[in-house]
Amino acid sequence: MEQSGTCLPAGRARKIKLTYYVYILKSLKDSNFYVGITNNVGRRLKEHNSGYQKSTKARKPFVLVYKECCNNRQLARKREKQLKLGYIRESRKFILNTRGGAVW
C-alpha cells in the first residue's frame, strides 16, 4: 500500500482552524432577531429560510443583518451569549442602528 506524503503518524490529527461567525438574522415576518454562531453563514441562512431549524421555522424568511468574525468556536459562543443577554441587547440595537442594518 502506498502512502502519500501528507499522512500523519497514528494518533496525530491535523488541526484545521475554522473561522466562526456570530450572526444576527432579522425575520421579515415579525421583525424579531435571531442570534447564532456558525462556520458558514451562507449555508446557515439557507437552513433557517428552508425551515430546517425548528426554532425559527415559523418566523421565516430571514435576512442577514450582522456578522462578526471570531478566531474559534469558544470565542464565538461567548460573543453570542453576550449579544443574547439583556444588558447587551441595547448594544445589539446600537450595532444594528450605527451600521444602518448593513452586514459587515
Side-chain angles (χ1 to χ4, degrees), residues 13-61:
R14 181 181 302 181
K15 291 187 179 183
I16 299 172
K17 187 173 181 178
L18 293 176
T19 301
Y20 281 84
Y21 299 89
V22 179
Y23 63 92
I24 301 176
L25 303 179
K26 182 177 182 180
S27 168
L28 297 178
K29 183 175 183 179
D30 62 12
S31 296
N32 286 321
F33 294 100
Y34 176 85
V35 179
I37 65 170
T38 186
N39 61 356
N40 186 327
V41 177
R43 173 188 49 83
R44 196 69 178 115
L45 179 61
K46 287 178 186 175
E47 289 175 354
H48 283 289
N49 282 327
S50 71
Y52 178 79
Q53 185 67 31
K54 286 183 185 180
S55 64
T56 57
K57 188 175 186 175
R59 296 171 30 204
K60 64 182 186 170

